[in-house]
Amino acid sequence: ISNMVMVSTLHHDIEGLRDAYRGGHGFGWHEHHGDLFSSMARSSTVDYGAFLVPEWIPALKGVEDKLRAGARVADVGCGYGGPTIMLAQAFPASTFHGFDYHVESIEAARKAAADAGVSERVTFEAVGADSFPGTYDLVCTFDAFHDMGDPLGVARHIRGSLAADGTWMIAELNASDSVEENVSPFGRMLYSASSLVCVPNAVSQSDTRALGAAAGQAALRDVTAEAGFTHFRLAAETPFNLILEVRP
């Protein structure tokens, strides 16, 4: 239901998106109707609530032990901060830092952390994905990396922000590498939604190397390798998500 609500909110943005496609200047996340932000947050909470802590974190080599012992974690492109808060509740010895350029989302994330009682270990800051501060044992991007206008620049910044034995967890929608492989009901939904949200947002930031409507493993592997990472592994998979383990 939350996914259908999310799609329906895009009707608010038809004129702006039409102008963006005609003019080639993109349409930023912050330009969408506010209903998109809350419906996206509800949708991700449902998706991640079932898998993030019980399955995806244990699938990353050594990460669960670090989180239990006390690690520094960054969530880049955190939105309303749902996954960040889930992790904070599951791993009380660790500290968590969410970053997003969208000020309204950061304000909502701070309120959500306070309501969940984890504000003493969770911070949220309005800053871009290519300039967030700090060094981390784990960096997460939850269905956010393919939205970014300069994914190579962001990947290089994440590479520089990781501890020597750190991990970058990339959660992306389960797209294949070619259009033909994505011909399915899910693929049609993915291309449609991404063409209205993700690609216009990336173009609004930069047209340096937008990953397009569906970022499969091959494109993600190429960007991470160019950014200086040497390890890339599919750690977990659901019908809707790919969980990639990337390390220096």
Side-chain angles (χ1 to χ4, degrees), residues 101-116:
Y101 89 93
H102 188 231
V103 174
E104 289 79 3
S105 290
I106 291 297
E107 292 172 350
R110 288 172 177 165
K111 183 181 184 302
D115 291 344

Side-chain angles (χ1 to χ4, degrees), residues 132-217:
F132 65 89
T135 302
Y136 302 94
D137 303 294
L138 174 67
V139 172
C140 305
T141 51
F142 293 109
D143 193 24
F145 185 55
H146 72 277
D147 294 56
M148 298 174 182
D150 182 13
L152 179 57
V154 171
R156 284 173 171 161
H157 186 72
I158 291 174
R159 172 69 178 82
S161 75
L162 277 176
D165 61 345
T167 300
W168 176 13
M169 172 185 171
I170 304 177
E172 286 286 344
L173 291 174
N174 196 344
S176 297
D177 297 317
S178 70
V179 173
E180 292 78 12
E181 292 174 307
N182 288 321
V183 176
S184 66
F186 176 69
R188 288 195 291 270
M189 182 194 74
L190 174 61
Y191 280 118
S192 298
S194 194
S195 295
L196 292 173
V197 180
C198 311
V199 174
N201 180 68
V203 172
S204 77
Q205 296 175 359
S206 168
D207 59 1
T208 303
R209 186 175 172 173
L211 286 170
Q217 289 189 63

Side-chain angles (χ1 to χ4, degrees), residues 10 13 17 27-37 196-197 200:
L10 296 173
D13 305 317
L17 286 163
F27 193 84
W29 174 258
H30 62 283
E31 297 180 83
H32 283 279
H33 191 277
D35 287 350
L36 178 63
F37 314 141
L196 292 173
V197 180

Side-chain angles (χ1 to χ4, degrees), residues 48 52 73-76 78-90 95-99 109 118 121-124 140 142:
Y48 298 144
L52 176 57
V73 181
D75 179 358
V76 181
C78 64
Y80 277 32
T84 318
I85 293 169
M86 289 179 200
L87 290 173
Q89 292 172 322
T95 58
F96 300 84
H97 309 269
F99 303 105
V118 295
R121 293 182 295 106
V122 180
T123 63
F124 292 102
C140 305
F142 293 109

